[in-house]
Amino acid sequence: MATLDLSDVSVILGGETVVQSVSAHLEAGKLYVVVGPNGAGKTTLLKAMASLLRLDGGKVTLNGEDVVAMPPMRRAAHMAYLPQERSIAWDLPSVDVAALGCPHLTPELARQKAFSELQALGLQEVSDRGVFGLSGGQRARVLLARVLVSSADIYLLDEPLIALDPAWQRHVLIRLRERADEGKTVVLSLHDLHLAAQFADEILLMHRGQLVRKAGPEIVFSAKYLSEVFNLKGELNDVAGQRILRLESMPLL
Ligand SMILES: Nc1ncnc2c1ncn2[C@@H]1O[C@H](COP(=O)(O)OP(=O)(O)OP(=O)(O)O)[C@@H](O)[C@H]1O
């Protein structure tokens, strides 16, 4: 179980402040979705959480301990990270790529765990096939399996649904939801606001490097934020206990 705290986190890239004074408390057992327009700072914020870039201000703590000061191996044991770029350098069998997510296990146990995660992600038939011979969506699921086999307390996933068909998008979100229900802290960025509304406990709304709001979907997906941040008209309704977001475009600014 882990809590992650960001206090006044700022990141400057190319001379621009791309994440500005972000503070947030993220709890175990919750699924958080980071949303915001292109360039809002979502990837940079996730990298800052994972301590994959230098902070220009502020602090990230995990259970009260400064993440930057943690030895990398310990940090990696606590946090699993899925980068937005879905590149795999070597043409290893899928099962071996997925097994890289649990380096603390013996090779045999790691392969067993990797196989069962691949199975859960519908890849049992291609588990021995080299990843270069897979489709984009299959490769994306292998990389998700690599994260999901990890016994980390915190999962940070940058656009985990890229390249997945609609059924797999939902299946992956259900799996991540289960991990949150097991007590993990799950943070992911998404562009699909409909899915974000349905699956998130809380939304982190990023805009121009700032965390505009961190709250439940019913608050963040209000007409005000949808129009001010996304230039969209819309409303969130409860339909038979499901949060359904209706969106309409507005004239381009
Ligand atoms: N290495 C870099 N050097 C300079 N500027 C960068 C660098 N990486 C990102 N940026 C800038 O930082 C800002 C935030 O980028 P970031 O990738 O975090 O946004 P994002 O919300 O994830 O966007 P998208 O939805 O398009 O993936 C953007 O304006 C981007 O151009």
Side-chain angles (χ1 to χ4, degrees), residues 11-19 34-47 53 84-85 158-159 162 189-191 206-209:
V11 178
I12 299 173
L13 294 175
E16 300 237 342
T17 305
V18 299
V19 166
V34 184
V35 301
N38 286 138
K42 303 178 295 295
T43 292
T44 311
L45 184 67
L46 283 168
K47 284 185 178 168
L53 41 70
Q84 198 176 65
E85 307 74 38
D158 197 352
E159 286 284 342
I162 284 179
S189 64
L190 283 186
H191 275 298
M206 292 294 292
H207 188 37
R208 300 189 179 127

Side-chain angles (χ1 to χ4, degrees), residues 2-6 24-28 49-50 60-65 67 79 154 156 185 187:
T3 55
L4 194 66
D5 281 284
L6 283 77
H25 173 70
L26 306 175
E27 289 170 17
M49 289 179 187
V60 178
T61 56
L62 196 161
N63 292 337
E65 190 180 342
V67 169
M79 292 189 190
I154 301 179
L156 303 169
T185 311
V187 188

Side-chain angles (χ1 to χ4, degrees), residues 142 192 194:
V142 171
D192 188 323
H194 302 278

